[in-house]
Amino acid sequence: MGMEQDIEQVLFTEEQLRSRVQALGAEITRDFQGKDKLLLLSILRGSYIFMADLSRAIDLPCLVDFLSVSSYGGGTKSSGQVEIKKDISMDLEGYHVIVVEDILDSGNTLYYLMDLLKLRKAASVSICTLLDKPERRTKPITADYAGFTVPDAFVVGYGLDYDQKYRNLPYIGILKPEVYGG
Ligand code: IMP
Ligand code: MG
């Protein structure tokens, strides 16, 4: 009765995730050396596990904050409508913001957020996404840091959900289409 029976294929194991996240952290540490106003901004809820691991792989003093948006509803396709459910709690002016996302899919969410963060006078805005699904992109958004490229399939685990479930799966896998009626 576990979760494994709902997974069609494992894409990234715990070990692969760990080593890739360490490498991303090291890259960010190099790139943001000497920038004293650094903020890691996690997009809830999908990036919560990635954020926890990535932030500990970055060896720089930085702040963390969280923003919650919704665009999906209960389905597997983006509605295109982005709504802020929980806003940032701090003033962004002068901060180098690294947006931490679970997956960059259509690009709708980040397209909307990039504008918003720039309006709030961030010194710079970069995107760090664990997964990139470029085949489905409809907005001109590219990640500055991306963990892995994934095929056009619905993936879950390591924070990513289907209908709010499977976030606690410790690895990333493709969900069996029969689980979501696909
Ligand atoms: P976008 O706005 O279409 O780029 O989608 C961004 C959000 O959709 C991500 O932050 C995820 O929460 C969700 N999403 C997109 N593809 C998947 C997937 O394969 N599995 C789980 N969530 C996904
Ligand atoms: Mg998300």
Side-chain angles (χ1 to χ4, degrees), residues 149-169:
T149 299
V150 292
D152 183 8
F154 201 76
V155 300
V156 294
Y158 195 74
L160 290 101
D161 74 305
Y162 166 65
D163 208 10
Q164 301 304 329
K165 293 186 288 275
Y166 306 100
R167 293 194 197 275
N168 59 324
L169 193 72

PDB file of all heavy atoms in Angstrom, residues 149-169:
ATOM      1  N   THR A 149      17.043  18.201 -16.676  1.00  0.00           N
ATOM      2  CA  THR A 149      15.993  18.356 -17.692  1.00  0.00           C
ATOM      3  C   THR A 149      15.126  17.101 -17.648  1.00  0.00           C
ATOM      4  O   THR A 149      15.644  15.990 -17.540  1.00  0.00           O
ATOM      5  CB  THR A 149      16.640  18.512 -19.079  1.00  0.00           C
ATOM      6  OG1 THR A 149      17.453  19.682 -19.046  1.00  0.00           O
ATOM      7  CG2 THR A 149      15.587  18.676 -20.168  1.00  0.00           C
ATOM      8  N   VAL A 150      13.814  17.292 -17.698  1.00  0.00           N
ATOM      9  CA  VAL A 150      12.906  16.134 -17.682  1.00  0.00           C
ATOM     10  C   VAL A 150      12.047  16.101 -18.945  1.00  0.00           C
ATOM     11  O   VAL A 150      11.775  17.137 -19.548  1.00  0.00           O
ATOM     12  CB  VAL A 150      11.980  16.124 -16.438  1.00  0.00           C
ATOM     13  CG1 VAL A 150      12.776  15.884 -15.167  1.00  0.00           C
ATOM     14  CG2 VAL A 150      11.162  17.398 -16.325  1.00  0.00           C
ATOM     15  N   PRO A 151      11.610  14.901 -19.338  1.00  0.00           N
ATOM     16  CA  PRO A 151      10.735  14.789 -20.503  1.00  0.00           C
ATOM     17  C   PRO A 151       9.323  15.280 -20.177  1.00  0.00           C
ATOM     18  O   PRO A 151       9.014  15.571 -19.024  1.00  0.00           O
ATOM     19  CB  PRO A 151      10.727  13.279 -20.782  1.00  0.00           C
ATOM     20  CG  PRO A 151      11.042  12.634 -19.473  1.00  0.00           C
ATOM     21  CD  PRO A 151      11.954  13.598 -18.752  1.00  0.00           C
ATOM     22  N   ASP A 152       8.489  15.380 -21.183  1.00  0.00           N
ATOM     23  CA  ASP A 152       7.113  15.836 -20.999  1.00  0.00           C
ATOM     24  C   ASP A 152       6.260  14.727 -20.385  1.00  0.00           C
ATOM     25  O   ASP A 152       5.495  14.052 -21.074  1.00  0.00           O
ATOM     26  CB  ASP A 152       6.542  16.284 -22.351  1.00  0.00           C
ATOM     27  CG  ASP A 152       5.127  16.841 -22.199  1.00  0.00           C
ATOM     28  OD1 ASP A 152       4.681  17.012 -21.040  1.00  0.00           O
ATOM     29  OD2 ASP A 152       4.483  17.094 -23.231  1.00  0.00           O
ATOM     30  N   ALA A 153       6.446  14.533 -19.085  1.00  0.00           N
ATOM     31  CA  ALA A 153       5.656  13.536 -18.345  1.00  0.00           C
ATOM     32  C   ALA A 153       5.379  14.147 -16.988  1.00  0.00           C
ATOM     33  O   ALA A 153       6.064  15.096 -16.582  1.00  0.00           O
ATOM     34  CB  ALA A 153       6.454  12.243 -18.180  1.00  0.00           C
ATOM     35  N   PHE A 154       4.388  13.643 -16.289  1.00  0.00           N
ATOM     36  CA  PHE A 154       4.069  14.221 -14.989  1.00  0.00           C
ATOM     37  C   PHE A 154       4.894  13.539 -13.917  1.00  0.00           C
ATOM     38  O   PHE A 154       4.798  12.333 -13.710  1.00  0.00           O
ATOM     39  CB  PHE A 154       2.579  14.128 -14.678  1.00  0.00           C
ATOM     40  CG  PHE A 154       2.172  15.118 -13.637  1.00  0.00           C
ATOM     41  CD1 PHE A 154       2.038  16.463 -13.951  1.00  0.00           C
ATOM     42  CD2 PHE A 154       1.985  14.721 -12.317  1.00  0.00           C
ATOM     43  CE1 PHE A 154       1.719  17.398 -12.977  1.00  0.00           C
ATOM     44  CE2 PHE A 154       1.659  15.659 -11.331  1.00  0.00           C
ATOM     45  CZ  PHE A 154       1.523  16.991 -11.665  1.00  0.00           C
ATOM     46  N   VAL A 155       5.727  14.327 -13.242  1.00  0.00           N
ATOM     47  CA  VAL A 155       6.650  13.758 -12.265  1.00  0.00           C
ATOM     48  C   VAL A 155       6.278  14.189 -10.844  1.00  0.00           C
ATOM     49  O   VAL A 155       5.710  15.262 -10.638  1.00  0.00           O
ATOM     50  CB  VAL A 155       8.115  14.152 -12.581  1.00  0.00           C
ATOM     51  CG1 VAL A 155       8.523  13.645 -13.954  1.00  0.00           C
ATOM     52  CG2 VAL A 155       8.315  15.665 -12.508  1.00  0.00           C
ATOM     53  N   VAL A 156       6.603  13.337  -9.898  1.00  0.00           N
ATOM     54  CA  VAL A 156       6.297  13.615  -8.488  1.00  0.00           C
ATOM     55  C   VAL A 156       7.485  13.224  -7.613  1.00  0.00           C
ATOM     56  O   VAL A 156       8.380  12.493  -8.036  1.00  0.00           O
ATOM     57  CB  VAL A 156       5.041  12.845  -8.001  1.00  0.00           C
ATOM     58  CG1 VAL A 156       3.783  13.321  -8.708  1.00  0.00           C
ATOM     59  CG2 VAL A 156       5.217  11.331  -8.169  1.00  0.00           C
ATOM     60  N   GLY A 157       7.443  13.702  -6.372  1.00  0.00           N
ATOM     61  CA  GLY A 157       8.448  13.349  -5.373  1.00  0.00           C
ATOM     62  C   GLY A 157       9.397  14.495  -5.085  1.00  0.00           C
ATOM     63  O   GLY A 157       9.438  15.489  -5.824  1.00  0.00           O
ATOM     64  N   TYR A 158      10.140  14.410  -3.981  1.00  0.00           N
ATOM     65  CA  TYR A 158      11.107  15.426  -3.564  1.00  0.00           C
ATOM     66  C   TYR A 158      10.437  16.813  -3.585  1.00  0.00           C
ATOM     67  O   TYR A 158      10.981  17.773  -4.070  1.00  0.00           O
ATOM     68  CB  TYR A 158      12.335  15.362  -4.470  1.00  0.00           C
ATOM     69  CG  TYR A 158      13.564  16.086  -3.956  1.00  0.00           C
ATOM     70  CD1 TYR A 158      14.324  15.569  -2.911  1.00  0.00           C
ATOM     71  CD2 TYR A 158      13.970  17.283  -4.523  1.00  0.00           C
ATOM     72  CE1 TYR A 158      15.451  16.229  -2.448  1.00  0.00           C
ATOM     73  CE2 TYR A 158      15.102  17.953  -4.066  1.00  0.00           C
ATOM     74  CZ  TYR A 158      15.833  17.423  -3.031  1.00  0.00           C
ATOM     75  OH  TYR A 158      16.954  18.084  -2.576  1.00  0.00           O
ATOM     76  N   GLY A 159       9.218  16.871  -3.101  1.00  0.00           N
ATOM     77  CA  GLY A 159       8.477  18.132  -3.032  1.00  0.00           C
ATOM     78  C   GLY A 159       7.379  18.276  -4.069  1.00  0.00           C
ATOM     79  O   GLY A 159       6.385  18.974  -3.839  1.00  0.00           O
ATOM     80  N   LEU A 160       7.543  17.621  -5.214  1.00  0.00           N
ATOM     81  CA  LEU A 160       6.532  17.773  -6.277  1.00  0.00           C
ATOM     82  C   LEU A 160       5.335  16.849  -6.010  1.00  0.00           C
ATOM     83  O   LEU A 160       5.508  15.699  -5.620  1.00  0.00           O
ATOM     84  CB  LEU A 160       7.124  17.444  -7.649  1.00  0.00           C
ATOM     85  CG  LEU A 160       8.126  18.464  -8.177  1.00  0.00           C
ATOM     86  CD1 LEU A 160       9.537  17.968  -7.973  1.00  0.00           C
ATOM     87  CD2 LEU A 160       7.883  18.760  -9.640  1.00  0.00           C
ATOM     88  N   ASP A 161       4.163  17.397  -6.261  1.00  0.00           N
ATOM     89  CA  ASP A 161       2.940  16.660  -5.921  1.00  0.00           C
ATOM     90  C   ASP A 161       2.078  16.320  -7.125  1.00  0.00           C
ATOM     91  O   ASP A 161       2.214  16.907  -8.209  1.00  0.00           O
ATOM     92  CB  ASP A 161       2.069  17.516  -5.001  1.00  0.00           C
ATOM     93  CG  ASP A 161       1.385  18.665  -5.773  1.00  0.00           C
ATOM     94  OD1 ASP A 161       2.119  19.445  -6.435  1.00  0.00           O
ATOM     95  OD2 ASP A 161       0.152  18.768  -5.749  1.00  0.00           O
ATOM     96  N   TYR A 162       1.167  15.397  -6.900  1.00  0.00           N
ATOM     97  CA  TYR A 162      -0.035  15.320  -7.719  1.00  0.00           C
ATOM     98  C   TYR A 162      -1.192  15.398  -6.739  1.00  0.00           C
ATOM     99  O   TYR A 162      -1.270  14.560  -5.814  1.00  0.00           O
ATOM    100  CB  TYR A 162      -0.125  14.013  -8.534  1.00  0.00           C
ATOM    101  CG  TYR A 162      -1.514  13.850  -9.079  1.00  0.00           C
ATOM    102  CD1 TYR A 162      -1.996  14.759 -10.016  1.00  0.00           C
ATOM    103  CD2 TYR A 162      -2.381  12.877  -8.598  1.00  0.00           C
ATOM    104  CE1 TYR A 162      -3.295  14.694 -10.464  1.00  0.00           C
ATOM    105  CE2 TYR A 162      -3.681  12.794  -9.053  1.00  0.00           C
ATOM    106  CZ  TYR A 162      -4.138  13.713  -9.980  1.00  0.00           C
ATOM    107  OH  TYR A 162      -5.435  13.665 -10.403  1.00  0.00           O
ATOM    108  N   ASP A 163      -2.053  16.412  -6.904  1.00  0.00           N
ATOM    109  CA  ASP A 163      -3.204  16.576  -6.018  1.00  0.00           C
ATOM    110  C   ASP A 163      -2.763  16.608  -4.541  1.00  0.00           C
ATOM    111  O   ASP A 163      -3.418  16.014  -3.689  1.00  0.00           O
ATOM    112  CB  ASP A 163      -4.216  15.453  -6.279  1.00  0.00           C
ATOM    113  CG  ASP A 163      -5.647  15.895  -5.957  1.00  0.00           C
ATOM    114  OD1 ASP A 163      -5.865  17.095  -5.716  1.00  0.00           O
ATOM    115  OD2 ASP A 163      -6.535  15.022  -5.939  1.00  0.00           O
ATOM    116  N   GLN A 164      -1.657  17.274  -4.299  1.00  0.00           N
ATOM    117  CA  GLN A 164      -1.064  17.473  -2.961  1.00  0.00           C
ATOM    118  C   GLN A 164      -0.429  16.223  -2.352  1.00  0.00           C
ATOM    119  O   GLN A 164       0.072  16.260  -1.225  1.00  0.00           O
ATOM    120  CB  GLN A 164      -2.085  18.086  -1.967  1.00  0.00           C
ATOM    121  CG  GLN A 164      -2.640  19.431  -2.390  1.00  0.00           C
ATOM    122  CD  GLN A 164      -1.559  20.467  -2.657  1.00  0.00           C
ATOM    123  OE1 GLN A 164      -0.494  20.439  -2.039  1.00  0.00           O
ATOM    124  NE2 GLN A 164      -1.804  21.373  -3.570  1.00  0.00           N
ATOM    125  N   LYS A 165      -0.404  15.141  -3.095  1.00  0.00           N
ATOM    126  CA  LYS A 165       0.216  13.922  -2.560  1.00  0.00           C
ATOM    127  C   LYS A 165       1.540  13.620  -3.277  1.00  0.00           C
ATOM    128  O   LYS A 165       1.829  14.206  -4.309  1.00  0.00           O
ATOM    129  CB  LYS A 165      -0.743  12.742  -2.705  1.00  0.00           C
ATOM    130  CG  LYS A 165      -1.989  12.889  -1.822  1.00  0.00           C
ATOM    131  CD  LYS A 165      -2.870  11.664  -1.845  1.00  0.00           C
ATOM    132  CE  LYS A 165      -3.612  11.517  -3.162  1.00  0.00           C
ATOM    133  NZ  LYS A 165      -4.863  12.296  -3.192  1.00  0.00           N
ATOM    134  N   TYR A 166       2.302  12.722  -2.708  1.00  0.00           N
ATOM    135  CA  TYR A 166       3.601  12.243  -3.216  1.00  0.00           C
ATOM    136  C   TYR A 166       4.746  13.219  -2.985  1.00  0.00           C
ATOM    137  O   TYR A 166       5.859  12.973  -3.411  1.00  0.00           O
ATOM    138  CB  TYR A 166       3.550  11.896  -4.724  1.00  0.00           C
ATOM    139  CG  TYR A 166       2.475  10.922  -5.096  1.00  0.00           C
ATOM    140  CD1 TYR A 166       1.277  11.364  -5.653  1.00  0.00           C
ATOM    141  CD2 TYR A 166       2.654   9.554  -4.888  1.00  0.00           C
ATOM    142  CE1 TYR A 166       0.275  10.476  -5.988  1.00  0.00           C
ATOM    143  CE2 TYR A 166       1.654   8.651  -5.219  1.00  0.00           C
ATOM    144  CZ  TYR A 166       0.472   9.118  -5.773  1.00  0.00           C
ATOM    145  OH  TYR A 166      -0.526   8.237  -6.096  1.00  0.00           O
ATOM    146  N   ARG A 167       4.497  14.339  -2.297  1.00  0.00           N
ATOM    147  CA  ARG A 167       5.602  15.281  -2.052  1.00  0.00           C
ATOM    148  C   ARG A 167       6.690  14.628  -1.212  1.00  0.00           C
ATOM    149  O   ARG A 167       7.863  14.955  -1.341  1.00  0.00           O
ATOM    150  CB  ARG A 167       5.091  16.526  -1.308  1.00  0.00           C
ATOM    151  CG  ARG A 167       4.134  17.398  -2.117  1.00  0.00           C
ATOM    152  CD  ARG A 167       3.988  18.757  -1.418  1.00  0.00           C
ATOM    153  NE  ARG A 167       2.820  19.505  -1.868  1.00  0.00           N
ATOM    154  CZ  ARG A 167       2.799  20.292  -2.940  1.00  0.00           C
ATOM    155  NH1 ARG A 167       3.878  20.412  -3.680  1.00  0.00           N
ATOM    156  NH2 ARG A 167       1.706  20.952  -3.262  1.00  0.00           N
ATOM    157  N   ASN A 168       6.295  13.726  -0.336  1.00  0.00           N
ATOM    158  CA  ASN A 168       7.243  13.094   0.593  1.00  0.00           C
ATOM    159  C   ASN A 168       7.948  11.874   0.022  1.00  0.00           C
ATOM    160  O   ASN A 168       8.717  11.225   0.727  1.00  0.00           O
ATOM    161  CB  ASN A 168       6.531  12.711   1.892  1.00  0.00           C
ATOM    162  CG  ASN A 168       5.372  11.749   1.659  1.00  0.00           C
ATOM    163  OD1 ASN A 168       4.683  11.859   0.644  1.00  0.00           O
ATOM    164  ND2 ASN A 168       5.148  10.827   2.563  1.00  0.00           N
ATOM    165  N   LEU A 169       7.712  11.574  -1.239  1.00  0.00           N
ATOM    166  CA  LEU A 169       8.495  10.515  -1.894  1.00  0.00           C
ATOM    167  C   LEU A 169       9.945  11.007  -1.935  1.00  0.00           C
ATOM    168  O   LEU A 169      10.201  12.105  -2.421  1.00  0.00           O
ATOM    169  CB  LEU A 169       7.938  10.347  -3.310  1.00  0.00           C
ATOM    170  CG  LEU A 169       8.323   9.141  -4.156  1.00  0.00           C
ATOM    171  CD1 LEU A 169       7.642   7.884  -3.611  1.00  0.00           C
ATOM    172  CD2 LEU A 169       7.889   9.372  -5.608  1.00  0.00           C
TER     173      LEU A 169
END
